[in-house]
Amino acid sequence: MGVVGTLVHYSILYALVEFEAFNPVIASGWGALAGLAVNYVLNFKLTFNSSQPHTQTLPKFTLIALIGMGINLALMQILVPRLFYLYAQLMATALVLLWNFFANLFWTFAIDQPRLKRNADLGFSIRTPHPSLALIFLILFIRIATLGLYPLYDPSESRYAEMARKMLETQNWVTPMIDYGVPFWGKPPLTIWLTSLSMEIVGVNDFAARLPSVFLSIGIAWVLFHLAHLQRSVDYARSTLLVLASSVLFFVMSGTVAMDQCMTFGVTLALSGFWLALRHRESLWGYVFFVGLGIGMMAKGPITIVISGLTIGMWTAITGRWNEIWHRIPWIKGTLIMLVISAPWYWLAEQRTPGFWEYFFIGEHWKRFTESGWKGDLYGVGREHARGMIWLYWLAAGFPWTLVLLKKLINTMPGKATKTFFQDSDGWQLYCLLWMLSPVLFFTLSANVIWTYVLPGLPGLALLVAGWVEQSKKYRAALTMCVPVSFFALVLIYQLPDVEFYKSQKHIADAFLRESGPDEQLIYISERPFSAQFYLPGKTLELTNFDALQQSLRQANRHFYVLNQQLFDMLSDAMKQQLKPVKIAGRYTLFETVSAN
């Protein structure tokens, strides 16, 4: 019932801050009062089904609520100067909800507990959460709580966040812009749309930029839970979520600004819909398959069809169920649905910025994967690796569960167990195995790969491993929490003084804002990281060569410059003497100068 009170609290907080310009701490206090009143009524009537008079419960509840409100205000007072107010409220809410629930459980409504046990059949008893659900919600809390505690990293995460900010600023919702007037042809815009919408609602900050990935991850988890539940049982579904949520790559990408989580949602929806269409004989699932493909097309392009098709094609070839698939899947109507979802944008994008089709379909979807160190990348450099490197990325991405899988496979190989593993009665384990392997197999011969390419296969890994985890629970909690806890520890270390995130310009930007005037700009030499553009919108410039820097230094006014150590070493002694260090952050240094001509 605390959810309803929390919604009331947040609604009042948001309305007072955004529409009435209230101080967030004061607005939080008014929201907390309203939420507490709602919580009392719901707790009395529903959660604890109390038979006590209000004269006994209300004073106790009021005292607990006042203490909780004090905790809330104290945390808001501490956190608001450092964090976005909604993010600060989220962290305060988590602690206050725990305090309110357990204090009311063991004091305010303690006398009602024996009666609740006797009347459990009425549905009013307080049920202890299932251990799996407790672990899942703990993982979710850790991921949400850390979203705004470390800066956007360069170049990928900050690039997509800055494109979303530019889209919101320019109101150009067709073509994402990598710079003003420079179109981004590398990916479709669905992720950028979601990020821009989040920034419109929550504000332009780290938390808002990463929030869509959290919701997409919840969507993936919901689809996968439904699939696993229909396939086997609710315990199997819970184990599947535990494996997925606690794998390294899925956990990290659940709070990262990137296209991959959106595409993985599309692939998960497509492959789940395909399997359920075969199993349940309901035409709706066949259409869900094509909706997933349409979402993937808008997230990352045709690679969604390739990954999904590879899984389905290999499974069909092995099982020989061609006729069943032909009749169960609405190929013509479904394809039309996929095209209705995706084709209008592709047509409009080419009309707005001619040349998009050639770069996107030929460059991004052929040359990137076939040419080692591809030179045609407009937005970065080709990542040249040894072919087959994707298998090592898969091993790391699914940790610790890839190790569990390998151990199981090794133990299965001897004897007849291998045959039964690959040939179960309905082909389910084979389907999960091929789902897991399809991205890895596709990118095995690719010369340009990164570890996020294996993300669409992680739901298959979770479904495959979950059955074994469900049967053997000895080390499940430790394996489940090793990645989230380690990540949380790293984020806490980042909060220590003088600990800096080397792949972001956040500290440079903060130092510039402290030292500069309102009309001064920050000048970069040869490169202008996207994180600097995101944290300092409209305040960064880029000089392309040393002649431009020398000319800028001759001007009779103060400037701020950022150079990496390599560029600084290349400056003449005269130029170095005009630069005064202000802040060192990793390989970058912020300089201030007042040039006199």
Side-chain angles (χ1 to χ4, degrees):
M1 294 303 131
V3 174
V4 179
T6 301
L7 288 175
V8 172
H9 180 174
Y10 277 63
S11 298
I12 293 175
L13 168 66
Y14 183 81
L16 290 178
V17 172
E18 298 297 332
F19 302 118
E20 300 297 333
F22 268 55
N23 180 288
V25 178
I26 297 174
S28 177
W30 285 110
L33 283 174
L36 290 171
V38 172
N39 278 339
Y40 174 74
V41 175
L42 294 177
N43 282 328
F44 187 92
K45 293 292 185 182
L46 298 178
T47 305
F48 301 102
N49 190 27
S50 180
S51 61
Q52 303 177 65
H54 290 292
T55 54
Q56 292 183 19
T57 58
L58 185 57
K60 295 178 182 179
F61 187 90
T62 301
L63 179 59
I64 291 171
L66 289 175
I67 295 173
M69 186 175 175
I71 296 172
N72 175 76
L73 292 175
L75 289 174
M76 288 292 286
Q77 189 68 39
I78 294 170
L79 296 175
V80 164
R82 295 191 60 196
L83 304 172
F84 177 62
Y85 76 93
L86 283 179
Y87 178 62
Q89 184 64 74
L90 183 69
M91 300 183 70
T93 299
L95 295 176
V96 173
L97 282 176
L98 290 174
W99 157 255
N100 286 343
F101 177 79
F102 286 107
N104 285 309
L105 174 64
F106 294 113
W107 187 40
T108 308
F109 302 105
I111 195 173
D112 295 302
Q113 292 182 48
R115 184 178 59 81
L116 288 175
K117 293 178 180 178
R118 290 194 302 270
N119 296 286
D121 59 310
L122 297 178
F124 295 121
S125 61
I126 300 170
R127 296 178 176 88
T128 303
H130 192 280
S132 296
L133 292 179
L135 289 174
I136 291 168
F137 280 108
L138 180 58
I139 293 171
L140 180 61
F141 172 75
I142 291 174
R143 199 63 193 94
I144 294 176
T146 55
L147 286 181
L149 292 181
Y150 59 99
L152 300 171
Y153 67 83
D154 287 314
S156 297
E157 193 181 28
S158 58
R159 172 174 64 182
Y160 297 129
E162 174 59 9
M163 285 195 295
R165 190 199 66 78
K166 283 188 173 73
M167 179 174 282
L168 188 63
E169 178 187 347
T170 62
Q171 293 296 296
N172 178 358
W173 297 93
V174 175
T175 305
M177 295 290 170
I178 196 163
D179 203 349
Y180 296 104
V182 181
F184 178 74
W185 288 343
K187 303 290 185 298
L190 183 54
T191 300
I192 306 301
W193 287 345
L194 295 175
T195 308
S196 295
L197 180 62
S198 177
M199 291 180 182
E200 174 71 19
I201 297 172
V202 180
V204 179
N205 50 69
D206 302 333
F207 181 85
R210 291 174 172 138
L211 192 57
S213 291
V214 175
F215 287 114
L216 287 167
S217 300
I218 293 173
I220 294 169
W222 182 85
V223 172
L224 212 60
F225 183 90
H226 191 71
L227 172 65
H229 187 195
L230 291 178
Q231 177 63 24
R232 288 190 183 174
S233 66
V234 68
D235 287 336
Y236 174 62
R238 289 168 179 161
S239 296
T240 300
L241 294 196
L242 280 180
V243 174
L244 180 68
S246 59
S247 59
V248 170
L249 183 59
F250 190 86
F251 180 84
V252 171
M253 296 305 291
S254 294
T256 299
V257 190
M259 310 286 187
D260 304 272
Q261 205 74 351
C262 197
M263 186 188 82
T264 300
F265 175 73
V267 171
T268 303
L269 194 63
L271 292 179
S272 298
F274 178 86
W275 179 265
L276 292 175
L278 297 184
R279 177 180 171 87
H280 291 280
R281 300 176 181 270
E282 296 177 9
S283 59
L284 175 63
W285 292 115
Y287 293 116
V288 169
F289 166 60
F290 288 99
V291 169
L293 294 181
I295 292 173
M297 282 290 292
M298 291 302 297
K300 219 171 180 182
I303 188 65
T304 302
I305 299 176
V306 173
I307 297 298
S308 303
L310 190 59
T311 302
I312 294 169
M314 290 189 296
W315 183 82
T316 306
I318 294 172
T319 60
R321 296 168 66 172
W322 299 97
N323 186 60
E324 181 182 5
I325 290 173
W326 176 253
H327 288 94
R328 295 279 186 86
I329 304 299
W331 293 104
I332 297 177
K333 293 181 180 179
T335 301
L336 290 176
I337 290 175
M338 181 188 70
L339 292 175
V340 167
I341 293 173
S342 58
W345 177 81
Y346 280 92
W347 178 84
L348 190 57
E350 175 66 19
Q351 301 307 307
R352 291 286 184 89
T353 55
F356 163 69
W357 285 0
E358 180 179 358
Y359 178 83
F360 181 73
F361 290 110
I362 298 176
E364 285 285 336
H365 286 83
W366 176 254
K367 293 183 178 180
R368 174 179 291 279
F369 305 118
T370 59
E371 295 184 10
S372 182
W374 178 46
K375 304 300 183 183
D377 194 336
L378 297 178
Y379 314 107
V381 294
R383 299 172 177 87
E384 185 173 358
H385 297 291
R387 300 182 191 275
M389 187 69 181
I390 195 71
W391 288 90
L392 294 179
Y393 286 151
W394 169 81
L395 189 65
F399 179 87
W401 307 107
T402 44
L403 302 182
V404 175
L405 174 63
L406 292 177
K407 181 178 183 297
K408 181 67 176 179
L409 290 176
I410 291 172
N411 293 338
T412 303
M413 288 306 173
K416 298 181 179 180
T418 306
K419 185 177 180 180
T420 58
F421 176 80
F422 288 106
Q423 296 182 1
D424 51 316
S425 59
D426 61 354
W428 170 250
Q429 288 197 125
L430 178 63
Y431 190 76
C432 296
L433 179 68
L434 295 174
W435 184 345
M436 176 190 75
L437 291 179
S438 57
V440 187
L441 292 173
F442 178 76
F443 290 110
T444 294
L445 298 180
S446 175
N448 297 285
V449 294
I450 54 178
W451 80 317
T452 58
Y453 289 174
V454 306
L455 183 64
L458 289 186
L461 170 68
L463 290 165
L464 196 59
V465 174
W468 308 324
V469 173
E470 182 186 3
Q471 298 169 6
S472 178
K473 301 180 180 180
K474 186 176 180 181
Y475 302 108
R476 185 173 68 176
L479 288 172
T480 299
M481 295 310 300
C482 66
V483 169
V485 169
S486 299
F487 183 88
F488 188 66
L490 290 174
V491 173
L492 290 180
I493 291 173
Y494 173 75
Q495 307 307 309
L496 297 175
D498 301 323
V499 176
E500 297 176 346
F501 196 68
Y502 76 101
K503 295 194 71 174
S504 177
Q505 295 291 294
K506 182 67 164 62
H507 289 285
I508 293 287
D510 290 343
F512 169 76
L513 291 174
R514 288 193 301 267
E515 299 293 331
S516 66
D519 297 325
E520 292 179 312
Q521 292 184 310
L522 184 59
I523 302 172
Y524 283 81
I525 314 301
S526 298
E527 60 174 339
R528 187 170 50 133
F530 290 104
S531 62
Q533 300 177 53
F534 180 82
Y535 292 119
L536 299 169
K539 285 183 169 291
T540 60
L541 293 176
E542 180 181 345
L543 301 180
T544 57
N545 53 56
F546 288 114
D547 291 338
L549 172 59
Q550 193 168 23
Q551 182 178 359
S552 177
L553 288 172
R554 292 187 184 129
Q555 297 177 9
N557 55 343
R558 185 172 72 157
H559 287 301
F560 288 87
Y561 302 89
V562 177
L563 292 86
N564 62 43
Q565 189 60 48
Q566 182 180 6
L567 289 175
F568 181 77
D569 292 339
M570 296 171 63
L571 298 181
S572 65
D573 291 338
M575 296 173 73
K576 289 179 180 179
Q577 291 175 2
Q578 293 180 267
L579 298 173
K580 171 187 173 183
V582 175
K583 172 70 176 179
I584 299 175
R587 64 190 185 96
Y588 292 94
T589 302
L590 172 65
F591 294 96
E592 173 191 356
T593 182
V594 178
S595 300
N597 192 8

